[in-house]
């Protein structure tokens, strides 16, 4: 069965710092990849997604992610974070022929003002 | 973007009673809806896939008779937790699929069983 690993459980950083969250998956076939964000007290929102094409994907709120197939990775980045980026971030994967999202364990990000 | 609502947002019930949670896609039709469970400080675990007009498909380890899912229309799916026990206390989240791979998530329902 496929699995998704997010290696950072908690990240604390200051405003204007750069952010990178790791995501690795175990499935060897074609996959579609997602990053979701859950702000405190709110529901999951899609940040960005990768289906095919350019492996560098740009999402909302200045986030981007790079799909590196050889490393089975889909790391999320933001060059300069804001206090409002405090949230929990989830990486998710679905097989290209499937419909079930598999989520990583999530990374809680705290941005200090 | 597409909106998914859940009702109630928070429910407290006594052990042994049943609780129904509704999930609605407000501005699109969803042939497939998903039910997840999220434990504190943990990720979302898929419980079941709900297809309109047919029986739900449950993930391994999820009790079908305990977590009854009904997807009677293209905009509504319900999850009923039957004979609830304290260990069923959790955050239940639904999602609805608009396109082949894009899912929109509801705000979740916090269930507390006393």
């Amino acid at each position: 069965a496929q699995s998704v690993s997010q290696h950072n459980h908690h990240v604390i950083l200051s405003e204007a710092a750069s952010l990178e969250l790791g995501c690795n998956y175990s499935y060897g076939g074609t996959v579609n990849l997602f990053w979701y964000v859950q702000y405190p007290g709110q529901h999951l929102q899609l940040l960005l997604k990768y289906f095919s094409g350019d492996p560098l994907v740009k999402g909302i709120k200045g986030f981007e992610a790079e799909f590196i197939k050889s490393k089975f990775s889909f790391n999320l980045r933001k060059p300069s974070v804001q206090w409002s980026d405090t949230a929990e971030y989830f990486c998710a994967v679905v097989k290209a022929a499937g419909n079930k999202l598999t989520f990583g364990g999530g990374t809680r990000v705290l941005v200090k003002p | 973007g597409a909106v998914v609502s859940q009702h109630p947002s928070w429910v407290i019930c006594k052990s042994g009673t049943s609780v129904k949670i509704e999930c609605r896609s407000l501005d699109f039709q969803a042939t497939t809806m998903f039910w997840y469970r999220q434990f504190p400080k943990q990720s979302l675990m898929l419980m079941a896939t709900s297809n309109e007009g047919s029986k739900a498909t449950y993930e391994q380890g999820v009790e079908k008779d305990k977590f009854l899912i009904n997807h009677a229309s293209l905009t509504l799916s319900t999850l009923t937790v039957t004979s609830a026990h304290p260990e069923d206390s959790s955050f239940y989240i639904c999602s609805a699929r608009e396109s082949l791979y894009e899912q929109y998530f509801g705000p979740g329902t916090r269930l507390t069983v006393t």
Side-chain angles (χ1 to χ4, degrees):
Chain A
Q2 64 193 47
S3 65
V4 181
S5 298
Q6 291 181 241
H7 307 294
N8 311 101
H9 297 294
H10 291 89
V11 172
I12 302 173
L13 59 167
S14 300
E15 278 194 312
S18 63
L19 173 70
E20 179 160 1
L21 303 181
C23 173
N24 287 89
Y25 62 95
S26 64
Y27 183 64
T30 303
V31 294
N32 297 304
L33 300 144
F34 305 80
W35 274 98
Y36 288 90
V37 60
Q38 188 173 29
Y39 297 104
Q42 296 189 28
H43 60 279
L44 278 169
Q45 300 173 43
L46 181 67
L47 268 181
L48 46 78
K49 61 190 176 188
Y50 173 80
F51 288 175
S52 64
D54 188 345
L56 185 61
V57 180
K58 294 195 184 298
I60 61 171
K61 306 188 180 189
F63 285 90
E64 65 178 29
E66 184 176 13
F67 172 50
I68 302 180
K69 189 174 182 179
S70 61
K71 295 185 177 180
F72 298 91
S73 71
F74 189 54
N75 293 352
L76 180 71
R77 297 193 291 255
K78 185 169 183 177
S80 177
V81 294
Q82 300 173 316
W83 174 78
S84 57
D85 293 321
T86 294
E88 187 156 16
Y89 294 82
F90 294 94
C91 180
V93 173
V94 63
K95 294 179 187 178
N99 65 354
K100 298 180 186 178
L101 276 173
T102 300
F103 283 86
T107 300
R108 286 180 179 266
V109 174
L110 173 63
V111 180
K112 294 181 178 178
Chain B
V3 179
V4 176
S5 70
Q6 278 184 245
H7 178 79
S9 57
W10 193 12
V11 58
I12 302 173
C13 70
K14 292 185 177 180
S15 186
T17 62
S18 296
V19 174
K20 180 185 285 188
I21 303 170
E22 292 186 348
C23 176
R24 293 182 185 272
S25 56
L26 298 185
D27 49 4
F28 66 100
Q29 294 184 329
T31 55
T32 305
M33 290 184 172
F34 302 87
W35 286 95
Y36 297 85
R37 187 170 177 176
Q38 187 178 26
F39 291 100
K41 299 183 180 181
Q42 293 188 30
S43 188
L44 283 76
M45 299 296 295
L46 180 65
M47 298 174 65
T49 302
S50 167
N51 293 298
E52 186 266 338
S54 64
K55 291 184 179 180
T57 303
Y58 291 81
E59 294 301 298
Q60 192 172 10
V62 178
E63 298 177 59
K64 300 178 184 181
D65 295 332
K66 182 164 193 59
F67 299 100
L68 299 179
I69 291 173
N70 183 277
H71 193 160
S73 77
L74 288 171
T75 59
L76 174 65
S77 176
T78 60
L79 167 69
T80 301
V81 183
T82 63
S83 186
H85 291 284
E87 57 265 31
D88 299 324
S89 297
S90 190
F91 197 54
Y92 293 88
I93 301 172
C94 75
S95 71
R97 193 171 72 182
E98 182 188 38
S99 61
L100 185 59
Y101 297 117
E102 189 129 13
Q103 292 184 31
Y104 294 92
F105 288 82
T109 297
R110 185 164 302 283
L111 170 64
T112 302
V113 185
T114 60

